[in-house]
Amino acid sequence: MAILEVNNLCKTYITNKRQNNVLKNVSFTVDEGEMVAVMGPSGSGKSTLLYTVSGMDDMTAGKVNFCGKDISSLNAKQLAQLRLDEMGFIFQQMYMLKNLNILDNIILPARQSKTNKLSAKEKADYGKELMRKLGIIKIADNDINEVSGGQLQRACICRSMINKPKMIFADEPTGALNRTSSDEVMEELHKINSKGTTIMLVTHDTKVAAKCTRVMYIVDGNIKGEYNLGSYESESELRTRERSLNNWLIEQGW
């Protein structure tokens, strides 16, 4: 069952009176439970695609249907509510408020949500539960400048999960991390996905993409091809998946 349906999506920017068509009639679907990677050269429209289909950026034309809702028909307030309650976001730059400790940053979206009916204590308890699952409960009371990049990104994953979203959108979630931290973060995302949460992520890292169900390759605002890897089961198959993905990417002009 499709959780995200995108039809003839276009995104155009006007810069110095010149038209820049960043996305050109893009169409695809993401099924419930999938983990889809978006890859492509720099400037190909990867992040713009992620932001536009999640309602963070306005579309110029086309239609995006998320969980039965046409997001182009929603106003700014309705879009903000949809993103808060039904979507989770993880970015390369780990945006967190400096005046809050790690736990308070994680549970902030739950406090802002009008549909999350848990009590303040229950929200804090759920935040701690997520931190335990990701192995970072010891940093709950730390300030954001007192933890490592890998710990902070795992905290961002906790924050993205706090309102139990239907889908997580991640833009280069491992881009600022070393290989060890990157592997740890991807392991957590894989666990989340294996329990049913749909994930769409932008990455330039073939090892990250090899853990996804499917890879979409975008060039000059068009999806040039898709590669179906199937579900990722264990580390033992990663090298084979990575090799086959690399071969396909080279065929696409990677």
Side-chain angles (χ1 to χ4, degrees):
M1 181 180 171
I3 191 169
L4 182 69
E5 297 177 86
V6 179
N7 291 295
N8 297 316
L9 177 65
C10 298
K11 177 64 182 179
T12 302
Y13 292 105
I14 306 295
T15 310
N16 297 327
K17 298 183 180 179
R18 300 183 71 174
Q19 191 167 291
N20 182 14
N21 300 312
V22 184
L23 300 175
K24 307 166 189 172
N25 297 310
V26 174
S27 297
F28 65 92
T29 62
V30 176
D31 288 336
E32 199 171 343
E34 271 199 291
M35 186 168 178
V36 179
V38 181
M39 302 188 77
S42 295
S44 59
K46 301 186 297 294
S47 294
T48 301
L49 178 64
L50 192 81
Y51 296 150
T52 308
V53 301
S54 62
M56 292 185 70
D57 204 352
D58 294 332
M59 65 186 79
T60 304
K63 189 172 182 179
V64 175
N65 190 296
F66 177 79
C67 292
K69 300 181 183 75
D70 177 6
I71 69 168
S72 63
S73 68
L74 303 179
N75 61 35
K77 188 175 181 180
Q78 290 169 325
L79 268 176
Q81 201 65 48
L82 178 72
R83 289 194 301 267
L84 180 64
D85 294 334
E86 299 187 39
M87 298 177 180
F89 294 90
I90 308 165
F91 304 100
Q92 179 174 351
Q93 299 303 319
M94 304 155 209
Y95 302 108
M96 285 199 166
L97 297 178
K98 294 178 181 177
N99 60 322
L100 299 179
N101 65 25
I102 299 292
L103 177 61
D104 286 339
N105 264 288
I106 287 170
I107 63 177
L108 183 61
R111 288 174 171 166
Q112 293 173 319
S113 174
K114 293 177 181 176
T115 61
N116 189 327
K117 301 301 183 184
L118 296 177
S119 68
K121 183 181 182 302
E122 287 170 331
K123 289 171 183 176
D125 287 345
Y126 184 56
K128 290 174 185 175
E129 180 186 332
L130 290 170
M131 293 187 80
R132 277 190 202 93
K133 286 180 179 176
L134 271 76
I136 55 169
I137 190 61
K138 290 180 180 177
I139 65 166
D141 296 326
N142 287 43
D143 291 335
I144 63 170
N145 59 356
E146 296 175 332
V147 300
S148 70
Q151 288 173 320
L152 196 58
Q153 192 62 301
R154 276 180 277 174
C156 289
I157 294 173
C158 292
R159 182 179 61 187
S160 77
M161 291 293 296
I162 195 68
N163 284 330
K164 300 181 180 177
K166 293 184 172 69
M167 186 167 179
I168 288 176
F169 296 89
D171 187 15
E172 296 280 9
T174 63
L177 305 177
N178 61 33
R179 175 50 64 191
T180 300
S181 294
S182 173
D183 289 345
E184 289 171 354
V185 165
M186 278 308 297
E187 190 60 35
E188 298 306 334
L189 287 176
H190 176 249
K191 286 178 188 174
I192 290 165
N193 175 246
S194 66
K195 289 176 181 173
T197 303
T198 309
I199 298 175
M200 180 176 176
L201 63 87
V202 166
T203 186
H204 65 275
D205 189 333
T206 53
K207 191 170 182 181
V208 167
K211 293 182 179 179
C212 296
T213 318
R214 179 163 53 104
V215 177
M216 297 192 299
Y217 189 70
I218 187 169
V219 180
D220 294 332
N222 290 294
I223 294 176
K224 187 178 179 182
E226 294 188 20
Y227 190 63
N228 197 333
L229 285 156
S231 59
Y232 170 66
E233 302 297 340
S234 69
E235 190 78 22
S236 61
E237 63 188 49
L238 182 58
R239 189 168 292 181
T240 302
R241 289 168 68 93
E242 197 175 350
R243 192 181 302 120
S244 66
L245 175 58
N246 262 317
N247 291 338
W248 178 78
L249 287 169
I250 290 167
E251 289 174 10
Q252 302 302 306
W254 176 251

